[in-house]
Amino acid sequence: MADFDLMELISAPIIAMNEAESDNAARFVELLNEFAFRKNEDTGESVLEKLKFSFDRVDPDGQTRTQNVEIPLIHFLPIGGIAIDQATLNYALKLDPQGDTDPNGKLRLKGRLADSSEKETGLSGNVNIEIKLKQIDLPQGVLSMLETTQSATVQTEKEKAPQEPLPIIPDDFVSAQLLELAPRYIEAGQDNMTTILFEFDDAVLTNQSHIDFELSSWPKSALEFEDKNTFSMTRRGKQQIQFLASPIIDEYSSKTDIKLRILARVRAADGDIKEQQISIFLPRSKDAETPALNLSKDK
Amino acid sequence: MNHSNIKSHDQGKTNGQMNCPNCEQPIAVTFESLLVAGKLVCKNDECNTVLQLNRANSGVAINAIKTLKSRLSDLGH
């Protein structure tokens, strides 16, 4: 077994531990670079990687506003430094009493590892190294970076489209024109489908409102609607309505007016529902006067 | 690469921390809360702010977290 320079024997493990800590620190930086930053492809600069969130904040005036917040990813990374907290090295040495001198004339002790049990039967296992690691506080530079990036947390209020003022709904909130009535009079019978085409206009429809229409007849059982007797509109437009005249109309007096009623409903800003009724008198024979194309409005 | 600098964290345990932008109270962050739920919730009873993760605008950061989570998993954390 070769002799060791005693100084080297003691310093080598310390140097090894220092190198280990140095490697550790380098890997810490590698991790930061890998996860906390990204390269700006245009400028080549490292920029903070961020996660972006949104949340609703209620203002003192009771209004809820959506805000965006950007938080650096580094605040979510479970990376931290570890270091050797304590190292205990136990040697059993046998010193060479002669020693040696270096070029400067200083004495250099030499020794060899010896069995601590004082039996020179083997040298294995006679150096005990016990290293305790600890989680060190983050380096001051990293702490500073965290503090700096805390202020890089960007909080912005989401741009909201200006709130469209809720419309004031007039009593006559809808108007209509009769475009077509075919045939020009109603006649009872399954084959006598009547088609009416209206064009509705309005004063209140916005992106946030719609008008519901409900069809009925007067007398109540005079007309049978082919499909459904309701429809909705969110913008002005044409609407075709089809119905059959019930056989019962043949029993009505010739003086009985038959009306198609259209009940329009819209929800006002205050939550109230406004209604407006439109009706059209339906001619009952081909000899009848040309049907009135103007719609009457029954409040 | 040796990832000895990655702290040992069990799945579901805190992976990071941030301050609530509304009340400044600390919010513990787990990878699950980011990757699965997609939101963080302030535990302050008087705040309870919900931070909704904008996945579309956080794609690169989310991928980084997925990579880190995978490596932690490989390391047995």
Side-chain angles (χ1 to χ4, degrees):
Chain A
M1 183 71 186
D3 289 344
F4 292 98
D5 185 303
L6 188 59
M7 188 175 74
E8 289 175 357
L9 196 61
I10 293 171
S11 66
I14 296 171
I15 292 169
M17 284 188 284
N18 278 337
E19 287 180 351
E21 290 212 301
S22 175
D23 282 355
N24 211 31
R27 291 193 182 102
F28 177 68
V29 174
E30 282 178 32
L31 278 167
L32 278 182
N33 284 331
E34 185 175 0
F35 293 108
F37 300 94
R38 69 180 160 82
K39 272 266 197 267
N40 182 318
E41 291 178 1
D42 296 330
T43 63
E45 292 177 346
S46 286
V47 292
L48 274 172
E49 192 57 66
K50 291 178 181 177
L51 280 165
K52 296 172 183 176
F53 298 86
S54 63
F55 69 101
D56 289 336
R57 189 202 293 268
V58 180
D59 283 351
D61 60 5
Q63 280 207 316
T64 302
R65 297 182 195 280
T66 301
Q67 297 199 305
N68 293 325
V69 59
E70 297 179 2
I71 301 166
L73 183 58
I74 188 174
H75 292 271
F76 302 135
L77 299 182
I79 53 178
I82 55 172
I84 297 170
D85 184 33
Q86 183 181 328
T88 307
L89 291 85
N90 291 314
Y91 304 85
L93 298 173
K94 184 177 180 182
L95 288 177
D96 180 352
Q98 298 300 319
D100 203 356
T101 53
D102 66 10
N104 297 324
K106 289 186 178 175
L107 179 64
R108 295 180 69 92
L109 288 174
K110 287 195 172 184
R112 69 173 57 180
L113 295 172
D115 192 314
S116 54
S117 64
E118 296 182 357
K119 294 178 186 172
E120 294 193 33
T121 54
L123 297 175
S124 60
N126 60 350
V127 178
N128 297 318
I129 302 176
E130 184 183 345
I131 295 177
K132 288 183 181 173
L133 300 176
K134 67 172 181 179
Q135 185 82 47
I136 59 167
D137 292 335
L138 288 171
Q140 187 58 45
V142 176
L143 288 174
S144 300
M145 183 166 61
L146 284 170
E147 195 174 335
T148 306
T149 55
Q150 186 75 35
S151 62
T153 297
V154 179
Q155 195 168 318
T156 56
E157 187 172 329
K158 187 179 276 184
E159 289 289 332
K160 278 193 170 178
Q163 194 75 26
E164 189 172 343
L166 289 167
I168 298 170
I169 298 176
D171 289 338
D172 294 341
F173 59 86
V174 65
S175 63
Q177 284 186 310
L178 180 60
L179 299 181
E180 184 182 336
L181 171 63
R184 293 184 61 193
Y185 61 96
I186 58 169
E187 192 174 12
Q190 289 297 312
D191 296 330
N192 299 322
M193 177 76 72
T194 301
T195 300
I196 295 183
L197 183 63
F198 291 101
E199 183 170 35
F200 290 93
D201 200 354
D202 63 87
V204 298
L205 290 183
T206 68
N207 289 334
Q208 293 134 19
S209 66
H210 64 273
I211 296 179
D212 294 318
F213 295 89
E214 184 179 336
L215 304 174
S216 62
S217 65
W218 176 260
K220 195 173 180 180
S221 53
L223 305 177
E224 297 169 4
F225 296 96
E226 179 66 10
D227 190 10
K228 56 183 182 179
N229 67 338
T230 59
F231 61 93
S232 292
M233 297 184 78
T234 53
R235 59 180 66 86
R236 59 187 294 179
K238 294 175 182 173
Q239 181 70 33
Q240 179 176 281
I241 297 165
Q242 291 186 307
F243 56 85
L244 288 170
S246 167
I248 201 170
I249 67 167
D250 288 339
E251 298 175 21
Y252 293 162
S253 152
S254 59
K255 293 180 181 177
T256 303
D257 289 326
I258 296 176
K259 290 192 290 187
L260 170 65
R261 285 177 159 178
I262 304 170
L263 181 65
R265 292 192 185 94
V266 68
R267 185 178 291 277
D270 58 5
D272 285 348
I273 292 175
K274 277 205 168 187
E275 292 186 345
Q276 181 185 343
Q277 186 160 280
I278 303 167
S279 61
I280 179 172
F281 291 94
L282 300 170
R284 294 181 58 186
S285 76
K286 56 185 174 184
D287 298 328
E289 293 179 7
T290 303
L293 296 182
N294 292 323
L295 302 178
S296 65
K297 295 176 183 175
D298 304 329
K299 297 274 175 69
Chain B
M1 178 187 280
N2 182 327
H3 289 281
S4 61
N5 287 100
I6 301 176
K7 288 181 186 175
S8 173
H9 286 282
D10 292 337
Q11 296 286 333
K13 285 188 178 176
T14 302
N15 297 116
Q17 184 175 301
M18 59 170 287
N19 288 341
C20 173
N22 193 42
C23 70
E24 299 293 327
Q25 294 293 309
I27 298 177
V29 181
T30 66
F31 286 160
E32 279 65 28
S33 59
L34 292 171
L35 299 177
V36 181
K39 63 183 179 185
L40 302 174
V41 181
C42 177
K43 301 290 185 190
N44 178 359
D45 288 338
E46 294 177 1
C47 177
N48 292 132
T49 291
V50 177
L51 291 150
Q52 196 68 45
L53 176 64
N54 186 332
R55 294 180 191 270
N57 291 329
S58 306
V60 178
I62 289 171
N63 285 337
I65 290 175
K66 284 179 182 171
T67 304
L68 187 56
K69 186 171 185 285
S70 169
R71 289 187 188 172
L72 282 168
S73 180
D74 291 345
L75 290 168
H77 295 319

